[in-house]
Amino acid sequence: MARKKKPADGGPGQPWLSTFADLMNLLLCFFVLLFASSSVDQHKFDEIAASFNSTFSIFSAGSTAIGDGILISNGVSQLNELDKYINSTGSMAENNAEAEEFDPEQSEADKTLGESIESVEAAKLEKSEQLAEQIEEALNENNIADKVEIDFNSQYVQLSLKGAILFNPGSADISDSIVPTLRKVGMILEKYAQYEIEIEGHTDNVPERSKKFANNDELSSARALAVFYFFTQNTSLDPAVMKHTGRGEYMPVADNSTSEGRDRNRRVEIKIYHELSNY
């Protein structure tokens, strides 16, 4: 007796294919109905939805899936609401981000900090102005106001002495004629011995050609050091609260192209700091 040939896989002899084909047909019909319902009136769609709901119960869960069922329970005809839903969600996210970025408390804190800084600067400037007035009065009392220029900012009060009356050209030796003036300046500084005092030497931009100093940097440093030594040797000022620096030609206060400007740039500045300077 001949053996019966076994059907190949996937052939009509497979029983599950019938079930699968029926399922595909049902799904096709289902989506066709959904598509067709998008063009019918609401009443007809409600009847179809109720029929499917009672048979398969496929919409009841969907009604709470997204936005209270805005995309599923209202049917495929409502898919045009997708953009509106997404845009509204994005807008809410942007509004939340903006709300997080704008922090009223932080803004108020920044405002308070700014006002506090302005208040401190105003107090420092007022202190410097008071100190400048006291020193200017002392300069007038000692008859040396015409030889010493005074200025101030929020950090310090500055006394400027012309280099032409302090030193001979190319020299860091203090002229004998200016010694009485420096003594009086030292006496005034002794009244503010508790403050930090800085002595700065400055030159014009004419190259230094003397054999003693290689350039204006060395010359300005030597002149500042000479004034520093004068005060430490002729006053009670503590060297620990004094410092000296040479700034060379790099911080002019006038035009170096004229003789008058170069004369102003050759100077020694004495800066007196006060108790508010470090705030």
Side-chain angles (χ1 to χ4, degrees):
M1 183 176 180
R3 181 178 297 179
K4 190 176 181 179
K5 183 181 287 188
K6 184 179 180 180
D9 291 344
Q14 296 294 329
W16 60 270
L17 285 177
S18 297
T19 303
F20 180 79
D22 292 339
L23 178 60
M24 292 298 100
N25 288 331
L26 287 173
L27 288 175
L28 177 61
C29 293
F30 171 71
F31 286 112
V32 168
L33 284 172
L34 287 179
F35 178 78
S37 67
S38 63
S39 60
V40 298
D41 57 20
Q42 185 66 34
H43 178 70
K44 190 172 182 179
F45 174 76
D46 290 339
E47 291 179 354
I48 295 174
S51 175
F52 275 98
N53 187 35
S54 62
T55 305
F56 299 105
S57 298
I58 61 173
F59 288 115
S60 58
S63 63
T64 58
I66 302 177
D68 198 19
I70 189 173
L71 299 181
I72 296 179
S73 64
N74 288 344
V76 178
S77 63
Q78 298 296 318
L79 287 177
N80 58 353
E81 298 290 336
L82 179 60
D83 289 340
K84 183 185 297 183
Y85 180 80
I86 293 176
N87 291 335
S88 64
T89 304
S91 298
M92 288 189 295
E94 291 179 0
N95 292 336
N96 290 337
E98 292 177 358
E100 290 178 359
E101 290 178 0
F102 177 73
D103 188 346
E105 293 184 359
Q106 183 63 35
S107 178
E108 186 64 27
D110 292 342
K111 181 180 178 181
T112 302
L113 178 60
E115 292 175 350
S116 177
I117 293 175
E118 292 179 358
S119 177
V120 170
E121 283 298 309
K124 291 163 64 176
L125 188 61
E126 182 179 1
K127 177 62 179 180
S128 293
E129 184 176 8
Q130 294 174 354
L131 184 59
E133 291 176 352
Q134 296 172 4
I135 295 175
E136 185 175 18
E137 183 178 352
L139 293 174
N140 288 324
E141 291 176 354
N142 286 275
N143 299 316
I144 56 174
D146 58 331
K147 297 179 181 179
V148 182
E149 294 182 4
I150 186 168
D151 197 5
F152 67 90
N153 58 28
S154 62
Q155 295 294 319
Y156 53 77
V157 176
Q158 177 177 286
L159 307 180
S160 296
L161 294 91
K162 291 183 179 181
I165 62 175
L166 281 171
F167 309 99
N168 293 322
S171 172
D173 298 327
I174 297 175
S175 300
D176 293 337
S177 60
I178 200 65
V179 169
T181 300
L182 277 183
R183 290 185 183 278
K184 292 179 180 180
V185 171
M187 292 172 57
I188 295 173
L189 294 178
E190 285 178 327
K191 298 178 182 179
Y192 309 100
Q194 74 275 22
Y195 297 147
E196 180 180 304
I197 297 174
E198 182 177 9
I199 303 170
E200 290 185 354
H202 299 266
T203 68
D204 56 27
N205 66 347
V206 177
E208 174 59 31
R209 294 187 175 89
S210 69
K211 296 180 179 180
K212 191 172 183 180
F213 304 104
N215 51 49
N216 285 326
D217 296 333
E218 292 185 5
L219 176 61
S220 63
S221 296
R223 287 178 171 177
L225 184 59
V227 175
F228 170 83
Y229 283 150
F230 181 89
F231 287 144
T232 57
Q233 294 169 3
N234 295 277
T235 69
S236 61
L237 292 172
D238 184 1
V241 298
M242 298 173 64
K243 58 183 178 180
H244 53 87
T245 57
R247 308 307 298 269
E249 62 193 67
Y250 309 113
M251 299 182 67
V253 294
D255 187 359
N256 274 310
S257 63
T258 65
S259 59
E260 292 82 4
R262 291 191 295 272
D263 184 56
R264 290 191 59 196
N265 290 332
R266 294 190 298 270
R267 67 197 188 278
V268 171
E269 294 176 347
I270 302 172
K271 297 179 179 179
I272 308 168
Y273 296 84
H274 50 76
E275 63 267 20
L276 300 182
S277 298
N278 294 326
Y279 288 93

